[in-house]
Every structure is written in structure tokens, then in C-alpha cells.
Amino acid sequence: MYSYSGRILHVDLSARRSLVQTVEPDFLKAYLGGVGLAVRLLYDNTPRDTDPLGPENVLAFTASAFGGTIVPVGTKHGVAFKSPLTGFEGDCLASSYFSHTLKRAGYDAIVVKGKAERATCLLVDDDVVQFRDATHLLGKGAYETEEAIRAELGDEAVRVASIGPAGENLVRFACIGNDRGRQAGRTGPGAVMGSKNLKAIALRGTKPVRVADLANLTKAAKDLIKASQGTATEKYRILGTVANVLVLNRIGALPTRNFQQTTFERAEDVSGEYMYSHHRERPVACSGCSIACEQIVSVKEGAYAGARTSVDYESLYALGPNCGVSEFPAIIKAIELADTYGMDTMSTGVSIAWAMECYERGLLSENETDGLQLNFGNGAAMVALVPKIARREGLGALLAEGVKRASQQLGRGSDQFAMQIKGLEMCGYDPRGLKTFALGLSVGTRGGCHNRSGAYETDMKGHVDRFQADPGRGKLARDQEDYAAIFDSLVLCKFIRGCFKDFYAEAANLYTLTTGLPMTPQELKLTGERVWNLKKAYNIREGWKKADDWLPPRFLNDPIPDGPGKGVYLSEDELRMMIDSYYEARGWTPEGLIPPRKLRELGLGDLAESLYPKTGARA
């Protein structure tokens, strides 16, 4: 077997034991790796109605078919679990060395379940599995934990995925950090890890990763590397994703003050161009990356002098314009703190923005905000609130639940501007003027996420009238989802998507040259559809209802107040029409359920009985 090992390591923290499952090449090919394989392992290894913070939930860490090889931007790993934010499937990707070390240890995946009696570091050293005491690491952030474990083991080649205090305190949007700055960030994997008393997973791998056709793979990889250093990725190499700030502000899709507005009057002060001139230190590349999009920035003077972190668009939007904050040093400091404590910066920022709107509306008093004056634009108050969330102190204990639960607990009508979908806080694109993306967000299996549906590109590139809704959007959203699922399962970084002339043919060829398993473009397309339906099947099993496919009230009731989209909003009738068209394009029922025959067409027929135990699986 090439690239793949055909081995999945299962670890039970409660029993402190492990075993290795062997799987056939056809099983691995059906899900590719990354997110696809992770969600299949989640489905197979968790019972219906699993408590997301209970011992029966699993964390499935899965490598890429390209991890540890010369294929550029292919060194990512997937993580899947039942999300403590949404109650549905949670899946994440993180880059760099942890993925290829997992491959070199001889595993395609690690599935962790149970709960350790005390804080534990799971050490996987090739074929040896150890359960090491980690109580002395409690309270340390992910960076400190990585360094401490490597020092204890005396080996800089050891790669570590760990949680910070937010994960230990079960903040529902806590993340898992690895390789000093990379995060499996959304939907709460850090909280799941914390619930298991699993402080860290350390990997040491010494086995080679073999490919099927090294000569031809080398040629194909060189061609892709050359393309990845051209104009298609120029903005990522120079400004990083923060280049999006002025673009989205110009078209009126930059979320501002908890999505009350779509343009920010101080956008220039938080732009990629400003960051480049005033705060940028250097770009950094993940392992195996030919692009280097990560921008390391720092604060050189003032109250936050010495703050240093990496900044991307989604972190900046959430803790910048969405909180009305225009002081770049405060934004850098807030991101640094969130990363140190181990929290999703997007959920952190959206939660704080919700609290700011509650404060300005008089729904939260100064007594309830721990004395903080949470007006929009108060960067100092925003920065002060980040550690409170991580430690669950005062108002932070409420916000640590995420805005859906926080608004339900607070009441007072605050749910009307809790900017979340299925419990996951919103990403940085206002969908009122991006109608295809509005559909993609509403039906997404992960919640308010831009990474699992690239439907915003259809709107922003002018392929459709982005201000109008029509029945054709269902097929467009479906195609973007399946396309993203392939990237997330192969795994390839999406920043390379513009570097292919014929993605399906070229990606299928890369897969075959790497694994030796024949793959056609048509098979690859079908795999994207299979993975997306697998995610939806998991959600259906865990209680998904048609009403879950919806948007926050603000997008359906409040017209855009100014800018290019002034007066535009999305009516309930428009959204329902597009959702219906999407279900039809998917081959699902009008209620959004997957018919058993559709599951069988996709090679998922074995799921039908678990999805529909009362009605049977013959239809």
C-alpha cells in the first residue's frame, strides 16, 4: 500500500488501552482522508445521541493522502467529533507537521474515546502508545505545552496537538493547537479534548511514507508549485487573507458592529495594507507549503507593546470591525490572547460583539459586565474580556457557552441578534448581499462557516446577480459544497484552488500517482458528494430538523442600512425557495432528508438503517 498504511489506532482513555484496526484500500479511497475519513470514523464510533462532552464522544484525527509526500500544501490533518456548540458533526482542519508525523508513525488515523482519570498526555511513538501524566501542564497554553513536552522527551522532532486553559475549562468554542500557531479551530474540539482530560497528543514517527510513482509525482508537484507561486496566490503571499478587508468593505459585505452594518468607516485602519506597513514582521509557511500566507505581526509601542501573533481575515473581522474596534494593536493583542488560551478567534469575537450590542441596548448592565463599558469600539474592554471567557469568570462564563446558549440564558430578546447558525458563530461575510452564500450558510452541516461552502465566490466573482435570489442557486451551492469536500478530504489547502487548469483531472492524477489507487475525475466528484451526504447523514441521526437550515433573524428582517447594498435583505420566502431548490438539487426529500436509495447510489447504503430505524431502509 502506498501513502496509506491501512492502520487506524483506537485509544480508550478510560481503560488506558489501544488497539490497531486494519482497513482495506477501497475504504480509504471512498473517503480519501482528512475530513471525509474523520467524519466516517465519527459516525462509526459514536452511538446515537452521544453527549458531546461525554466519554462516548470521539476525536478522530486523520491524515491526508498527501501528508508526508512532495505534493505541495497537502500536509493537513482532519479532526471530527460531535460538536459541543451545535450538537451536530464538528470537523476541523489544521496544517503543518502534526499531519505528516501521524503518517510517519504508521497510521492513517487516531480515534480517541473515553475519559482519563486525570490530565493526560497521549504519546504515540511509532508502535508504542503511552499514557503520561500531564497534571503539571494544566494552565499552560498550547505553545507552552508543546515546548514543555518536547523538552521532557528530549526530541525536537516530536509534534504535539494540545489544548490551553479554554479547553480545560470546557469553553464550547475552544480549539486544539499544534505546531505553534496552527489550530483545529471551529466547532469546539478543544472542549471535547478537555472533557476527556486529554491535555495533549504527542507524536513521534520514524517510518517512511512511500508513493506509487515518484518520478511522475515529482513532475506534477513541481508544476503545481510553480503555479502556486504565480498571480493566483499573490494576495495571499503578500498580505495574507487580510487583503479581503477592503474588498468586502467596498462591496458592502464586511460585518460591522455585530452585523448591524456592512461597511466600516475605519476599514483603512484595519486593512491588510495598513497591517503590512505598520505591524508585519514576516510571512510563514506551513510544512510543505509553497505559498506562505500566514502573516506574523507585532505591536512595537503603546499599551500592547510586545504582543505578537499571526493575523488572518476571519480573526481580524471578528475582533475588529465586528466589535467596532479600529485600533490594530488591540486587535493583535486580543488574537494573541485567544490563541494563547486556545479559543476560536471567530467565535470569541462574535460572542463579544453580541455582548456589546446587549450592553448598548441596555440588556446587560455594567454590573453584569464586570464593570466593563462594552460599547462598540472599546478595544480595551474587548481585550479584557478574552481571558474572562477562557477562565469562565463573570460575564465570560456566559459567553463561553457561545452566543446561541448565551442568548437563550440571558433572554430579553437577545436571540434576535445572536449571530449564529446551528450554534456556530458567523464567519466574516454578510450574506444579505451575497444570496448564493446565504443559501450555503443556511444549509451547511457545520453551521455559520465559510470554509465548507465557497458559495461566496459565485456571488463575488459576478457569476450571478448577488442581490437577487433564484431557484438556480441550489445547484450552485451544492457544487461548491462537493468541491470543498474534496479539498478537505484529499487534503489540499484551498488557497491553491486557482492553480489548477482542470482541478478534477489533475487532482485525480495526483491521487493515483501518490497512492497507486486508480482515480478518475468522475470518481473524485462522486467522492465529494459522498462526503457531504455523510456529514448530513450524521446530523440527521443526531436530530437535525428542517428548521435548523435557517439564518439569524437580522438577515431576514433588517435591510442593509448603507453602502452598495443599502436596502437589501433576504426575505423568508426567498430563503425558503432557495433551500427547496437545494434539497431538490441534492436529490433529497422536500423535508431535507436523504432517501435510502440516494445513500445506496453513493455507497452509503449501510447508513440507512441507523438513520431510519423506525421506517425501514427499503425506499
Side-chain angles (χ1 to χ4, degrees), residues 6-165:
R7 302 169 78 234
I8 296 171
L9 177 65
H10 291 259
V11 176
D12 186 335
L13 293 170
S14 300
R16 292 172 66 89
R17 64 170 178 248
S18 64
L19 61 88
V20 175
Q21 173 192 5
T22 58
V23 292
E24 296 301 317
D26 285 349
F27 174 79
L28 295 167
K29 179 182 175 181
Y31 305 102
L32 300 177
V35 165
L37 178 58
V39 176
R40 181 70 216 213
L41 293 173
L42 170 69
Y43 196 106
D44 290 346
N45 289 280
T46 53
R48 184 189 295 267
D49 299 327
T50 294
D51 177 356
L53 297 177
E56 288 187 318
N57 198 4
V58 302
L59 283 161
F61 293 81
T62 50
S64 156
F66 299 139
T69 75
I70 58 175
V71 176
V73 300
T75 304
K76 287 176 176 279
H77 62 277
V79 188
F81 47 93
K82 187 174 183 181
S83 168
L85 266 181
T86 70
F88 296 133
E89 66 93 15
D91 66 80
C92 300
L93 290 167
S95 300
S96 240
Y97 296 94
F98 187 87
S99 177
H100 82 230
T101 307
L102 174 58
K103 294 282 289 290
R104 294 196 64 192
Y107 304 105
D108 296 311
I110 298 176
V111 179
V112 182
K113 69 175 182 179
K115 179 179 181 178
E117 289 186 3
R118 58 183 180 275
T120 296
C121 170
L122 176 68
L123 173 61
V124 179
D125 189 353
D126 285 339
D127 296 323
V128 177
V129 177
Q130 297 180 22
F131 301 86
R132 298 170 63 93
D133 180 74
T135 53
H136 62 293
L137 299 174
L138 291 175
K140 294 183 182 296
Y143 300 168
E144 284 184 280
T145 301
E146 287 181 36
E147 292 166 359
I149 290 173
R150 277 198 286 268
E152 289 173 15
L153 296 173
D155 189 348
E156 285 296 312
V158 169
R159 297 297 165 179
V160 180
S162 62
I163 58 173

Side-chain angles (χ1 to χ4, degrees), residues 471-549:
R473 303 303 170 93
K475 181 179 183 300
L476 294 174
R478 178 203 67 187
D479 291 347
Q480 287 287 347
E481 289 170 345
D482 293 351
Y483 179 67
I486 294 168
F487 269 90
D488 295 340
S489 301
L490 276 175
V491 183
L492 288 170
C493 176
K494 295 189 182 75
F495 291 168
I496 208 169
R497 63 191 181 277
C499 300
F500 294 95
K501 294 177 182 177
D502 183 342
F503 169 71
Y504 291 102
E506 292 173 56
N509 183 53
L510 282 172
Y511 182 84
T512 297
L513 295 175
T514 301
T515 66
L517 301 174
M519 176 73 76
T520 67
Q522 293 73 27
E523 285 179 301
L524 194 58
K525 281 187 176 183
L526 185 66
T527 302
E529 186 179 4
R530 178 182 302 118
V531 168
W532 192 268
N533 277 265
L534 172 64
K535 293 181 182 186
K536 179 61 180 285
Y538 182 85
N539 286 357
I540 292 171
R541 194 190 77 175
E542 297 308 306
W544 173 91
K545 298 292 186 293
K546 187 175 183 178
D548 293 314
D549 284 357

Side-chain angles (χ1 to χ4, degrees), residues 174-510:
C175 58
I176 301 172
N178 65 276
D179 294 294
R180 193 172 179 84
R182 311 313 303 170
Q183 285 95 19
R186 305 224 71 198
T187 66
V192 177
M193 201 158 160
S195 73
K196 296 182 175 302
N197 283 332
L198 182 60
K199 177 64 177 176
I201 298 176
L203 300 178
R204 180 159 44 200
T206 62
K207 301 174 183 178
V209 178
R210 300 186 306 144
V211 299
D213 187 341
L214 181 58
N216 284 311
L217 183 63
T218 299
K219 182 180 183 304
K222 284 181 176 179
D223 290 344
L224 190 53
I225 289 169
K226 182 178 180 180
S228 73
Q229 295 175 338
T231 57
T233 64
E234 186 174 15
K235 78 169 186 177
Y236 300 123
R237 298 197 311 273
I238 297 174
L239 298 180
T241 57
V242 185
N244 290 338
V245 171
L246 294 184
V247 173
L248 290 165
N249 195 62
R250 184 173 64 250
I251 69 171
L254 178 64
T256 299
R257 298 181 181 88
N258 200 34
F259 288 79
Q260 293 182 82
Q261 298 160 276
T262 61
T263 58
F264 187 40
E265 69 279 4
R266 300 285 299 276
E268 293 281 352
D269 296 333
V270 294
S271 65
E273 291 77 1
Y274 183 92
M275 183 182 78
Y276 186 93
S277 300
H278 293 79
H279 296 287
R280 182 181 188 257
E281 288 188 4
R282 60 190 175 91
V284 174
C286 295
S287 169
C289 176
S290 51
I291 298 173
C293 72
E294 184 180 3
Q295 304 297 314
I296 302 297
V297 301
S298 63
V299 180
K300 300 173 178 61
E301 58 186 14
Y304 304 116
R308 185 174 184 270
T309 190
S310 64
V311 174
D312 64 7
Y313 167 70
E314 295 292 344
S315 298
L316 185 142
Y317 118 78
L319 290 158
N322 201 45
C323 288
V325 174
S326 60
E327 291 77 29
F328 221 118
I331 298 169
I332 292 173
K333 184 62 180 178
I335 294 171
E336 180 194 52
L337 287 170
D339 287 348
T340 298
Y341 285 103
M343 294 190 296
D344 173 11
T345 51
M346 296 166 66
S347 288
T348 300
V350 173
S351 297
I352 293 173
W354 171 82
M356 286 177 162
E357 185 165 353
C358 287
Y359 180 80
E360 292 205 343
R361 287 173 174 262
L363 304 182
L364 280 175
S365 68
E366 207 161 309
N367 286 335
E368 293 171 302
T369 63
D370 310 320
L372 295 174
Q373 295 179 346
L374 284 182
N375 299 98
F376 284 115
N378 189 339
M382 176 186 73
V383 170
L385 198 46
V386 176
K388 287 180 175 290
I389 297 172
R391 296 170 183 150
R392 285 186 172 268
E393 295 177 350
L395 178 61
L398 179 67
L399 300 186
E401 292 294 296
V403 294
K404 180 178 180 178
R405 287 176 176 79
S407 66
Q408 290 169 345
Q409 290 180 33
L410 180 66
R412 307 172 193 175
S414 62
D415 61 316
Q416 295 301 298
F417 49 89
M419 305 310 294
Q420 54 79 26
I421 299 172
K422 297 181 176 71
L424 180 65
E425 287 74 20
M426 282 289 298
C427 56
Y429 301 77
D430 192 297
R432 283 171 287 192
L434 302 169
K435 295 294 176 71
T436 318
F437 190 49
L439 170 60
L441 285 172
S442 65
V443 298
T445 58
R446 198 188 191 206
C449 169
H450 67 295
N451 258 329
R452 300 300 181 261
S453 169
Y456 57 88
E457 286 195 348
T458 302
D459 295 314
M460 293 177 65
K461 289 184 176 180
H463 297 159
V464 294
D465 183 343
R466 63 188 179 91
F467 293 122
Q468 299 295 323
D470 63 68
R473 303 303 170 93
K475 181 179 183 300
L476 294 174
R478 178 203 67 187
D479 291 347
Q480 287 287 347
E481 289 170 345
D482 293 351
Y483 179 67
I486 294 168
F487 269 90
D488 295 340
S489 301
L490 276 175
V491 183
L492 288 170
C493 176
K494 295 189 182 75
F495 291 168
I496 208 169
R497 63 191 181 277
C499 300
F500 294 95
K501 294 177 182 177
D502 183 342
F503 169 71
Y504 291 102
E506 292 173 56
N509 183 53
L510 282 172

